[in-house]
Amino acid sequence: MNGKAVMKAEDTVNGTLANCVVIQGGRYYDFIQAVRLKARFEKIKGENDRIIGWKGTGKMEFYYNDSVFRRMVLYSKETGEDIHFEMQVTNYDPASQMGCQTILLKDCCIERGILTEFDAESDYLMDEMEFTFGDFEVIEKFQCQRSEGE
């Protein structure tokens, strides 16, 4: 095909097979109620478009059936201290040729979330949280078919 790289169907990754673990105070929460998570980075540029830093932000949507994040917010309210935690997100689709990717988001902090809610017209309730993170680690990378740097 004219020497162009082509993505194969088996290179896609099923989004429903991700796993999220919340780590706080030495406790691990297998956060299976998570439905959607996006963690983004934004470059901070100075003069001449030189990169002088970055910031990490994210949003998570999950079923409204756990109080782990509300307990953190309550602690912060009562003590005036922020609670920091980590989230480890793994994308693995055994049907994909790409293998597994695991990212550890470090120094996460809740910035905004839902304390309580109801919806008389809904079959189930959804929760959401916005957060920042101060660092990240790529624990495992997808097995890219291209060479590094492409």
Side-chain angles (χ1 to χ4, degrees):
M1 281 197 174
N2 301 343
K4 293 183 180 179
V6 176
M7 188 177 106
K8 301 174 190 159
E10 59 267 17
D11 291 344
T12 60
V13 178
N14 185 331
T16 65
L17 300 176
N19 181 16
C20 178
V21 176
V22 175
I23 307 157
Q24 196 274 318
R27 297 186 67 175
Y28 288 71
Y29 303 92
D30 192 5
F31 211 69
I32 58 174
Q33 59 270 51
V35 174
R36 186 173 293 108
L37 182 140
K38 288 188 180 185
R40 301 180 185 272
F41 68 91
E42 181 180 339
K43 296 185 281 188
I44 300 170
K45 295 182 179 183
E47 293 182 29
N48 301 324
D49 276 347
R50 183 175 178 182
I51 298 171
I52 58 173
W54 69 279
K55 68 178 183 176
T57 61
K59 182 175 181 179
M60 176 188 254
E61 296 176 44
F62 45 97
Y63 292 110
Y64 185 82
N65 64 357
D66 193 297
S67 296
V68 65
F69 296 124
R70 277 175 279 283
R71 286 193 303 267
M72 290 181 200
V73 171
L74 177 62
Y75 179 86
S76 292
K77 179 187 83 91
E78 292 176 345
T79 65
E81 299 174 27
D82 260 341
I83 293 284
H84 296 269
F85 57 97
E86 296 180 337
M87 283 194 287
Q88 181 173 299
V89 179
T90 300
N91 297 99
Y92 175 64
D93 177 356
S96 172
Q97 300 292 316
M98 301 311 289
C100 181
Q101 175 178 273
T102 301
I103 305 286
L104 179 64
L105 304 174
K106 299 178 176 184
D107 197 25
C108 297
C109 186
I110 299 169
E111 298 299 331
R112 184 176 293 116
I114 295 172
L115 283 178
T116 189
E117 67 176 312
F118 74 88
D119 182 344
E121 297 179 347
S122 180
D123 292 335
Y124 53 88
L125 294 175
M126 294 299 296
D127 206 341
E128 65 182 45
M129 172 191 64
E130 293 178 31
F131 61 95
T132 55
F133 59 98
D135 200 2
F136 67 94
E137 181 180 338
V138 178
I139 296 173
E140 191 169 6
K141 295 189 277 186
F142 286 127
Q143 299 172 17
C144 187
Q145 304 301 322
R146 299 177 302 269
S147 64
E148 291 287 328
E150 283 189 332

